Amino acid sequence: MNSEQIQYTFRLGKNSDCNLFLDTYFANLGESFNKTELVNIFESRIKEPDYKFYVILAGRELTIAGCAIVKVEANVFDKYATTEIKHLHIHPKFRKLNAADSLYVFIEEQAKLKNASLIKVACGINSTLNQRFYSRKKFVFTKKLFLKNIF
């Protein structure tokens, strides 16, 4: 497949896409999880207006090439909304075929439609592939994030 030949389209995620999102989100974590509980969380989040679940489809066959979860919100003292990419996954088969670039451009267009003035994303500290991807998109590293498990 040549990337110039592939036409990508996008659609909103549906409840029937639950396994797609769960599998891609937890594939690299190496943790066990309670699928029933996560399905319930997915089904509640997909209804929330601040969350958008996107699926990228490739070609005339509409093969699933990946997915993304995005949240748009305005913080207390922000004049404009912020779009946060919570999850972005591209199927390995489509990673060298500009699927990630196409999905990112789509997300940015949707952010502009929501009057968001900023897009933010968190990458793992050792995730140099993701860091390079976002750096090429003109993202700038701004601060460290500290986390603490409390249960």
Side-chain angles (χ1 to χ4, degrees), residues 9-31:
T9 56
F10 308 91
R11 67 168 172 79
L12 285 174
K14 305 176 277 197
N15 279 342
S16 60
D17 295 315
C18 183
N19 284 332
L20 166 68
F21 284 93
L22 291 180
D23 291 346
T24 61
Y25 191 81
F26 288 98
N28 296 323
L29 293 182
E31 297 176 10

Side-chain angles (χ1 to χ4, degrees), residues 6-142:
I6 296 179
Q7 225 22 295
Y8 293 107
T9 56
F10 308 91
R11 67 168 172 79
L12 285 174
K14 305 176 277 197
N15 279 342
S16 60
D17 295 315
C18 183
N19 284 332
L20 166 68
F21 284 93
L22 291 180
D23 291 346
T24 61
Y25 191 81
F26 288 98
N28 296 323
L29 293 182
E31 297 176 10
S32 59
F33 55 89
N34 181 330
K35 191 160 189 170
T36 304
E37 186 178 324
L38 292 175
V39 167
N40 291 336
I41 293 169
F42 176 85
E43 289 174 348
S44 69
R45 291 286 191 268
I46 203 164
K47 294 175 188 173
E48 291 182 26
D50 290 348
Y51 281 91
K52 296 297 178 206
F53 292 72
Y54 297 117
V55 177
I56 180 172
L57 306 165
R60 284 182 241 142
E61 304 83 21
L62 300 178
T63 304
I64 293 176
C67 60
I69 303 171
V70 175
K71 185 175 183 186
V72 179
E73 66 180 343
N75 289 322
V76 176
F77 298 109
D78 291 342
K79 184 176 179 179
Y80 299 104
T82 296
T83 295
E84 182 175 2
I85 300 171
K86 297 284 194 179
H87 173 64
L88 191 145
H89 175 81
I90 299 299
H91 188 282
K93 176 180 173 180
F94 295 96
R95 289 185 182 161
K96 293 187 178 184
L97 300 174
N98 295 327
D101 291 321
S102 295
L103 183 53
Y104 173 77
V105 167
F106 176 78
I107 290 169
E108 189 171 300
E109 289 169 358
Q110 296 303 303
K112 289 176 184 176
L113 291 173
K114 295 281 188 184
N115 291 321
S117 64
L118 181 71
I119 297 177
K120 65 182 180 179
V121 66
C123 294
I125 197 150
N126 295 321
S127 183
T128 56
L129 183 65
N130 287 337
Q131 292 170 13
R132 280 195 307 266
F133 175 80
Y134 289 111
S135 292
R136 283 193 316 270
K137 303 286 180 233
K138 308 290 187 227
F139 279 71
V140 177
F141 178 78
T142 58

